[in-house]
């Protein structure tokens, strides 16, 4: 018996490219939280047809990056501080485990990762900073020798990536991140498992607290602007 399959409407590769481009824009703030988006505008800016944009938006909605807008249409999902805090609780547990296991193996991470990170900071390129941060943590996961750590972390990294993009718009955090990364890597290479685990726990805790503060301030700004608009209505 011949199996009949439905024809694909567009190439998966193009849909993935659109998905990645939109996720990058959401992560670096080019598409801001709460911003309304339309298939037509996105397709025009990306120079593609509406079909791959529609499919990419479906994936983004499923993953929680876009949501239904009031009335009709779609908007970029708001960043919820409580949700990010919960993600960081899971991430912290995975990262501290990875740091301890990697230190037990005395793995020396590639120095190029740190050059990549500091170069991104010096250029002020938020997308490059995010990619460098992902490279560091990914290398640490692999250094742990336990592939389940990286697989588990991958479920949450897209949302962390977005939160990082919001936080890294504030310059004061950028350089200290790589000082902390280097200290963790040095402890791992020296086989100091307790120190590596402690530094990673502090690193994740600091990042979580900082992001919560940034998101709380951003939410207050949005609420304040809404209040001003409401009070300015002519009676």
């Amino acid at each position: 018996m011949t199996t009949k399959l439905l024809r694909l409407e567009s190439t998966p590769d193009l849909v993935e490219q659109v998905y990645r481009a939109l996720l990058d824009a959401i992560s670096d703030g080019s598409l801001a939280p709460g911003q309304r988006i339309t298939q037509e505008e996105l397709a025009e800016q990306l120079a593609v047809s509406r079909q791959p944009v529609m499919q990419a938006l479906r994936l983004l909605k499923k993953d929680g990056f876009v949501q239904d807008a009031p009335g009709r249409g779609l908007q970029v999902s708001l960043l919820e501080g409580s949700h990010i805090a919960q993600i960081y609780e899971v991430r912290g547990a995975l990262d501290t485990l990875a740091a301890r296991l990697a230190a037990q193996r005395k793995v020396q991470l590639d120095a190029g990762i740190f050059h990549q990170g500091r170069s991104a900071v010096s250029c002020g390129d938020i997308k490059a900073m995010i990619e460098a941060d992902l490279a560091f943590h990914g290398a640490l996961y692999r250094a742990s020798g336990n592939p389940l750590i990286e697989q588990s972390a991958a479920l949450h990294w897209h949302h962390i990536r977005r939160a990082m993009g919001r936080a890294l718009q504030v310059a004061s955090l950028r350089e200290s991140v790589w000082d902390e990364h280097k200290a963790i890597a040095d402890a791992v290479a020296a086989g100091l498992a307790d120190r590596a685990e402690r530094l990673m726990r502090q690193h994740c805790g600091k990042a979580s607290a900082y992001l919560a503060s940034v998101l709380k301030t951003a939410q207050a700004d949005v609420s304040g602007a809404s209040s001003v608009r409401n009070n300015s209505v002519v009676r």
Side-chain angles (χ1 to χ4, degrees):
M1 186 176 78
T2 302
T3 301
K4 293 184 178 181
L5 300 177
L6 296 175
R7 275 179 97 175
L8 297 177
E9 296 180 352
S10 64
T11 64
D13 183 62
L14 184 56
V15 174
E16 176 62 27
Q17 289 180 54
V18 173
Y19 177 94
R20 177 59 56 181
L22 294 178
L23 184 56
D24 284 344
I26 291 171
S27 297
D28 67 20
S30 299
L31 290 174
Q35 179 177 338
R36 284 181 175 270
I37 51 179
T38 67
Q39 294 178 27
E40 293 79 4
E41 291 178 356
L42 295 176
E44 182 179 353
Q45 291 185 47
L46 294 171
V48 297
S49 68
R50 290 177 54 186
Q51 192 64 32
V53 172
M54 180 179 68
Q55 293 185 43
L57 287 174
R58 285 176 179 169
L59 293 174
L60 289 166
K61 184 177 180 181
K62 178 179 69 69
D63 292 342
F65 295 106
V66 302
Q67 62 189 41
D68 291 327
R72 61 189 299 270
L74 295 172
Q75 66 181 23
V76 178
S77 297
L78 300 176
L79 277 168
E80 298 291 344
S82 59
H83 180 55
I84 295 300
Q86 290 169 345
I87 289 175
Y88 261 87
E89 287 178 347
V90 176
R91 177 202 166 180
L94 292 171
D95 282 21
T96 52
L97 175 60
R100 170 169 285 279
L101 293 177
Q104 290 173 352
R105 303 175 73 208
K106 295 185 178 181
V107 177
Q108 186 164 348
L109 300 184
D110 183 1
I113 294 174
F114 303 96
H115 175 71
Q116 176 187 355
R118 295 194 187 278
S119 295
V121 170
S122 65
C123 295
D125 186 335
I126 292 177
K127 179 182 176 182
M129 284 185 246
I130 294 172
E131 296 303 328
D133 201 286
L134 293 174
F136 168 77
H137 287 277
L140 193 64
Y141 299 151
R142 291 186 289 276
S144 74
N146 185 337
L148 295 179
I149 294 177
E150 185 169 21
Q151 292 172 20
S152 300
L155 298 174
H156 312 291
W157 262 104
H158 283 321
H159 291 280
I160 292 174
R161 188 174 186 268
R162 184 187 176 200
M164 284 170 53
R166 179 67 181 85
L168 289 172
Q169 293 176 39
V170 181
S172 60
L173 182 69
R174 299 173 184 175
E175 195 64 44
S176 64
V177 164
W178 285 97
D179 292 337
E180 294 168 18
H181 286 172
K182 186 63 168 62
I184 293 166
D186 288 345
V188 166
L192 303 175
D194 288 344
R195 176 174 171 78
E197 182 177 349
R198 184 179 71 255
L199 290 174
M200 180 58 81
R201 184 177 296 109
Q202 293 171 351
H203 175 67
C204 292
K206 178 181 175 182
S208 179
Y210 185 87
L211 283 169
S213 175
V214 168
L215 295 177
K216 183 177 180 180
T217 300
Q219 184 60 45
D221 290 344
V222 170
S223 298
S226 176
S227 177
V228 169
R229 285 195 300 270
N230 290 338
N231 291 333
S232 67
V233 174
V234 176
R235 291 176 172 83

